[in-house]
Amino acid sequence: MHLFLQTLINGLLIGGLYIAISLGFSLSFGVMDVVDFAVGEWVMVGAFTAYFLQQATGWDPLLLMPFSFAVTFALGLAVHPFLHRVTGGRRPRPALMGLVFTFGVATLLRGSALTAFGYDFRSLRTQFTGSISLVGQIPTLRLVTGLIALGLTLAALGVLYRTRFGMAVRATAQDKVNAALQGVDIRRLSALVYALHTGLTGMAGALLGALFSVWAEMGVRYTIFAFFVVVLAGMGYLPGVIAASLALGVLQSFVATYLGAQYTLLILFGALYLVLLVAPRGLFGKGV
């Protein structure tokens, strides 16, 4: 029973990190109609930023998260004008063009990282070692990162549902034409939303780098996970992202504990196939 509860808690804590990644991913789709294929590479950039800053300063990676946010936020702002150019105006199939463009960004970032840093795995040192006795032994770092991810999620939801900026974002996600008629600058808002998405994802990368390892190809795994979450939640349906992320974390934790980590992607793809077959608009039936 202890093993079951411990596995459940571990899964919920990992799921908290997936919320931080998938929330911005789903938001950028809702506002821009763009499926960001580079989401995993923003995780990688955030993790490498924390790694090299730690080499220079010796600081704990959790203290370096704001720097990972700043770097990936700036990169997102720099990328957005090009993304807007290929998806805006009267260009045919803007969603497909956005997918192809972000696939190119992902390939460029991953290829650059492989060229510069090679295939070596790197580790982030942290002071949060050992474990805490709750229901079984919970690694301290996993508990701390899960709580930080929960705080980030609550802050993001607070901005989204308690501020005028969040109201403009939600209005744009529902109907761009009406939002523009109400005075919302769609292009400026889209740039901010995309930069916040890349910034939040990069910050989560620092946490994931501290939990696991940092390497040039780590982003592919998190791109798959982000797609799993938004499909399970329903494309563009933000409230579903929280439940879907926690479900992914719990499923991953139970598969790794009771079957073996090598079966994780097989089980995830099987679950994704069933969801698309039975509920193509997500578990809550509110996706697009």
Side-chain angles (χ1 to χ4, degrees):
M1 190 62 182
H2 272 179
L3 179 61
F4 178 87
L5 292 175
Q6 188 173 343
T7 305
L8 179 63
I9 292 173
N10 277 327
L12 292 174
L13 292 173
I14 289 291
L17 283 171
Y18 295 153
I19 295 174
I21 296 174
S22 305
L23 199 62
F25 181 81
S26 182
L27 197 59
S28 67
F29 174 78
V31 172
M32 301 165 58
D33 293 330
V34 168
V35 177
D36 186 7
F37 209 88
V39 57
E41 270 54 50
W42 299 123
V43 172
M44 181 267 292
V45 172
F48 266 109
T49 301
Y51 172 78
F52 285 112
L53 284 175
Q54 185 177 64
Q55 297 301 305
T57 64
W59 293 2
D60 193 277
L62 302 188
L63 296 176
L64 297 170
M65 288 169 51
F67 296 95
S68 293
F69 176 86
V71 169
T72 47
F73 182 91
L75 285 173
L77 272 183
V79 166
H80 180 267
F82 302 100
L83 181 58
H84 181 78
R85 182 174 177 79
V86 299
T87 58
R90 296 182 177 179
R91 297 181 186 281
R93 302 181 184 277
L96 181 60
M97 292 296 288
L99 184 65
V100 171
F101 177 82
T102 55
F103 178 79
V105 172
T107 304
L108 177 65
L109 290 174
R110 186 166 59 252
S112 300
L114 281 170
T115 302
F117 313 131
Y119 291 88
D120 296 337
F121 284 68
R122 296 167 171 83
S123 298
L124 285 166
R125 303 181 306 278
T126 177
Q127 297 177 349
F128 296 96
T129 57
S131 58
I132 295 175
S133 182
L134 292 174
V135 180
Q137 295 297 314
I138 303 298
T140 306
L141 180 59
R142 183 161 296 190
L143 181 62
V144 171
T145 54
L147 292 176
I148 291 175
L150 177 63
L152 287 175
T153 302
L154 291 176
L157 291 176
V159 170
L160 196 59
Y161 287 97
R162 299 290 183 185
T163 65
R164 290 179 63 84
F165 171 75
M167 185 185 299
V169 170
R170 286 184 285 123
T172 305
Q174 289 178 4
D175 192 321
K176 292 182 180 58
V177 175
N178 280 333
L181 290 173
Q182 296 298 319
V184 176
D185 185 338
I186 302 296
R187 180 168 182 172
R188 183 167 175 269
L189 184 77
S190 297
L192 280 175
V193 167
Y194 189 72
L196 285 173
H197 151 56
T198 57
L200 277 175
T201 306
M203 199 152 52
L207 295 176
L208 288 165
L211 265 180
F212 304 111
S213 297
V214 182
W215 75 104
E217 293 191 301
M218 64 186 290
V220 176
R221 184 181 186 85
Y222 297 111
T223 298
I224 294 172
F225 289 169
F227 271 89
F228 178 90
V229 168
V230 295
V231 170
L232 199 66
M235 294 292 285
Y237 182 57
L238 287 178
V241 168
I242 297 174
S245 298
L246 295 177
L248 169 62
V250 170
L251 181 62
Q252 182 185 3
S253 181
F254 273 96
V255 170
T257 301
Y258 289 101
L259 296 178
Q262 67 272 27
Y263 297 108
T264 301
L265 291 181
L266 176 66
I267 300 295
L268 290 184
F269 277 119
L272 192 62
Y273 175 75
L274 286 176
V275 169
L276 287 173
L277 198 65
V278 177
R281 295 182 63 192
L283 291 179
F284 305 95
K286 295 186 177 179
V288 297

